[in-house]
Amino acid sequence: MLSRAIPRSVLRSTAASSSSSFRASNIYLGRQSRRWYASEAEEKDLVIVGGGVAGYVAAIKAGQSGLKVACIEKRGTLGGTCLNVGCIPSKSLLNNSHLLHTIQHDTKNRGIEVGDIKLNLDVMMKAKDTSVQGLTKGVEFLFKKNNVEYIKGTGAFKDEHTIAVNLNDGGETEVKGKNIFIATGSESTPFPGLTINEENVITSTGAIALKKVPKKMVVIGGGIIGLEMGSVWSRLGSEVTVVEFLGQIGGPGMDQEISKQIQKMLAKQGMKFKLNTKVTKGDASAESIKINVEAAKGGKEELLDADVVLVAIGRRPYTAGLGLENIGLDVDERGRLVIDQEYRTKIPHIRAIGDVTFGPMLAHKAEEEGVAAVEFITKNYGHVNYNAIPSVMYTHPEVAWVGQNEQELKAQGVKYKIGSFPFSANSRAKTNLDTEGMVKFITDAETDRILGVHIVGPNAGEMIAEGTLALEYGASAEDVGRTSHAHPTLSEAFKEAAMAAYGKAIHY
Ligand SMILES: Cc1cc2nc3c(=O)[nH]c(=O)nc-3n(C[C@H](O)[C@H](O)[C@H](O)COP(=O)(O)OP(=O)(O)OC[C@H]3O[C@@H](n4cnc5c(N)ncnc54)[C@H](O)[C@@H]3O)c2cc1C
């Protein structure tokens, strides 16, 4: 079965070294001091270090493809940053804090009058934990279903084919792999001078678990994570100030026009912004934290105070304790593992996928790479289109985009056309009393091929899937504009923006 699934050349290329290292491992058989596991007796086709989105998806795909696979995860639960402390818990809090905010500020206009409204933060946190537990257990179930061996512990390279594992429940073991994937993910980048305690000086991990609503919160970094967590606590009652070094929020990938619009909307909801501003130092020695800021280009210093400071200046690849030095693997100046087009490090049977290597730090990008990297082993080909990876910011309204933005195209000197359509002219958005925002298409001026789609508005995160599909298939704006979209739906705004790019929208 195995030799049918895997090209012989791949098996051959690893066979010689793997059999010698297998023999070497037998030397340890008699030692009493370490635990011996059945898994050690055989060499796996694939060993994956890290059970985050990249690692667990690769493990399931490998199991489905008939490979003998083991996945080592130290957290005690599967799903990595995304399921445990990232995408999922943050979206739970975003959803439920939005509900609270809507009931407090919006339902009255819709004829729904509610009596006393109270936040029960404990219950809101429990609801989040329930979602997380359900999903992480779900991955464990999928491991069993697909014959993936799950090893709970911290893995480190002993040699090019052997991972030594410190087991979470004590003891140690070793696993050998013909192929090894490094999928150890990323961690929050620290801010020099501010020591994270996850209580009042926090990363996103602390921000999804605060025990009470801070009166004042300063968010250092106006990227997606900072804005999402900032909006949660702003809706729950904090006075939130976001300090951002760049001249726009949302990070450089967000189209500038869209970024300006969402900033206005978030400001209307109560968030404060200090753009082109840098934090020079922070002092968290007293209960009230002091944050010194000044213009990014230099200027007069200002002092901000806060009960809680959220450090959200980005994430960096995580390879601590992995024993890369034991196999002579290096990381680049940003801590990323260097790989080729097939995710191979300079040791060809060791691949790196997800946040630990190049590309956007996004769960769905990690997932695509998990599948592709396994396919490179089993079929000798794999596919990820890095030009069609969508980004979503789950504020209200949401911001979503795929492809290139206007500022990037201008910098490249590409001639482009714009077609946009406001939700205020869309019948469903009007019916829902949720009309803020727009859809914006950017197309090649000569060919009409779609170069980018940018949305700020209700349900943008779902709607961007259509833009991603269009980009993946090399569609023109006319292809989308001539496709029937159900009425009344928000997606009609998508169709009309496409129509505006090559001709004229009907309803605007
Ligand atoms: C607050 C927040 C919100 C986010 N929201 C989104 C979102 O909405 N959408 C989105 O696409 N992305 C989001 N992300 C990003 C997303 O979480 C990551 O891109 C994704 O988790 C990367 O997957 P990964 O498998 O590469 O790494 P990770 O998920 O970080 O998984 C790596 C795993 O490896 C384990 N590990 C590390 N070293 C070892 C070792 N030596 N031995 C054993 N195990 C080890 C770690 O414990 C970890 O579980 C968010 C991130 C954060 C922090």
Side-chain angles (χ1 to χ4, degrees):
M1 164 117 178
L2 197 56
S3 51
R4 259 207 327 271
I6 308 175
R8 286 187 181 284
S9 58
V10 177
L11 287 175
R12 258 201 312 275
S13 69
T14 54
S17 52
S18 58
S19 62
S20 61
S21 42
F22 177 64
R23 272 197 306 278
S25 82
N26 285 338
I27 296 168
Y28 293 96
L29 262 172
R31 282 172 57 172
Q32 298 297 312
S33 59
R34 47 197 301 283
R35 288 161 59 161
W36 190 253
Y37 278 75
S39 61
E40 293 175 79
E42 52 172 355
E43 187 177 48
K44 303 285 177 194
D45 297 313
L46 175 61
V47 173
I48 301 168
V49 188
V53 183
Y56 91 68
V57 169
I60 292 171
K61 182 72 188 167
Q64 289 171 348
S65 311
L67 302 190
K68 283 200 191 98
V69 55
C71 180
I72 305 161
E73 170 56 58
K74 67 177 181 174
R75 190 185 296 270
T77 52
L78 293 167
T81 303
C82 175
L83 267 61
N84 291 280
V85 290
C87 327
I88 297 302
S90 63
K91 265 81 255 181
S92 167
L93 293 177
L94 277 156
N95 186 56
N96 293 336
S97 61
H98 174 58
L99 267 177
L100 178 78
H101 200 256
T102 304
I103 296 167
Q104 280 171 337
H105 301 284
D106 198 22
T107 53
K108 209 168 168 193
N109 310 328
R110 299 165 188 271
I112 305 164
E113 294 191 9
V114 186
D116 264 0
I117 307 156
K118 265 198 327 215
L119 165 69
N120 186 331
L121 190 59
D122 281 353
V123 175
M124 194 178 273
M125 290 293 172
K126 271 188 199 127
K128 171 204 71 173
D129 295 339
T130 305
S131 312
V132 168
Q133 277 156 20
L135 287 163
T136 55
K137 285 275 168 219
V139 178
E140 221 170 294
F141 165 78
L142 290 173
F143 268 21
K144 284 192 189 120
K145 189 176 158 200
N146 292 289
N147 299 320
V148 177
E149 185 177 335
Y150 172 23
I151 303 173
K152 292 187 186 179
T154 305
F157 280 96
K158 186 178 171 195
D159 59 46
E160 289 185 5
H161 283 278
T162 315
I163 305 288
V165 188
N166 254 322
L167 296 162
N168 286 358
D169 62 358
E172 49 195 58
T173 189
E174 276 175 14
V175 208
K176 290 182 171 293
K178 290 188 181 80
N179 297 280
I180 295 176
F181 287 180
I182 302 174
T184 48
S186 61
E187 61 178 355
S188 295
T189 307
F191 188 86
L194 277 172
T195 308
I196 302 292
N197 57 22
E198 298 298 11
E199 279 177 12
N200 64 350
V201 183
I202 60 175
T203 66
S204 54
T205 301
I208 55 160
L210 286 178
K211 292 191 182 68
K212 61 177 195 201
V213 180
K215 215 164 148 285
K216 284 187 178 178
M217 177 184 264
V218 167
V219 180
I220 307 179
I224 293 184
I225 292 178
L227 295 174
E228 286 186 355
M229 296 322 305
S231 27
V232 165
W233 292 104
S234 159
R235 290 165 189 170
L236 298 183
S238 293
E239 192 185 298
V240 174
T241 305
V242 177
V243 183
E244 169 55 54
F245 186 84
L246 299 176
Q248 72 164 72
I249 61 168
M254 192 180 284
D255 187 85
Q256 266 164 13
E257 186 184 6
I258 300 280
S259 170
K260 279 195 190 119
Q261 288 205 12
I262 187 66
Q263 189 185 332
K264 271 194 203 137
M265 296 172 204
L266 294 176
K268 224 164 77 187
Q269 292 167 25
M271 284 170 76
K272 293 190 181 133
F273 294 96
K274 287 189 170 298
L275 302 191
N276 295 307
T277 303
K278 65 180 174 200
V279 173
T280 50
K281 61 178 184 217
D283 178 3
S285 56
E287 204 172 315
S288 171
I289 304 167
K290 305 287 175 225
I291 299 290
N292 298 59
V293 299
E294 65 178 45
K297 288 183 187 148
K300 214 174 130 232
E301 209 174 51
E302 196 189 333
L303 200 62
L304 304 177
D305 62 318
D307 312 291
V308 169
V309 175
L310 166 59
V311 176
I313 56 171
R315 294 181 64 79
R316 61 183 187 189
Y318 180 78
T319 52
L322 195 54
L324 292 180
E325 64 287 357
N326 298 339
I327 51 168
L329 270 190
D330 292 326
V331 293
D332 74 357
E333 73 291 347
R334 288 168 62 182
R336 297 172 297 199
L337 273 159
V338 179
I339 50 166
D340 68 7
Q341 305 268 12
E342 299 184 13
Y343 309 104
R344 289 178 300 209
T345 63
K346 69 179 184 194
I347 306 169
H349 68 272
I350 301 177
R351 290 175 154 92
I353 51 174
D355 280 10
V356 78
T357 187
F358 301 94
M361 287 188 175
L362 290 170
H364 42 284
K365 172 262 191 190
E367 183 172 349
E368 295 297 324
E369 290 184 346
V371 170
V374 170
E375 286 180 337
F376 275 116
I377 297 176
T378 57
K379 300 177 177 171
N380 270 340
Y381 63 82
H383 157 266
V384 180
N385 180 356
Y386 290 94
N387 295 319
I389 305 272
S391 294
V392 181
M393 180 166 90
Y394 296 83
T395 45
H396 188 84
E398 293 175 347
V399 177
W401 71 91
V402 65
Q404 290 180 289
N405 60 36
E406 245 193 291
Q407 62 266 26
E408 286 164 351
L409 292 167
K410 263 190 201 136
Q412 291 160 22
V414 175
K415 290 208 172 75
Y416 60 86
K417 277 195 195 164
I418 301 283
S420 53
F421 191 85
F423 283 104
S424 58
N426 171 269
S427 59
R428 187 64 184 274
K430 270 189 132 47
T431 315
N432 291 351
L433 303 178
D434 204 358
T435 52
E436 282 184 319
M438 66 190 280
V439 181
K440 172 174 174 177
F441 268 68
I442 311 180
T443 56
D444 185 286
E446 272 173 35
T447 64
D448 189 40
R449 188 184 172 124
I450 300 166
L451 301 175
V453 180
H454 303 265
I455 310 171
V456 52
N459 247 11
E462 299 291 339
M463 206 181 295
I464 202 63
E466 184 177 355
T468 309
L469 194 66
L471 218 67
E472 184 73 47
Y473 279 83
S476 64
E478 190 169 355
D479 288 329
V480 175
R482 289 190 183 278
T483 304
S484 176
H485 286 65
H487 174 76
T489 59
L490 298 168
S491 68
E492 286 172 289
F494 190 89
K495 171 190 163 93
E496 294 236 34
M499 290 170 86
Y502 69 87
K504 275 197 158 79
I506 297 291
H507 294 93
Y508 187 64

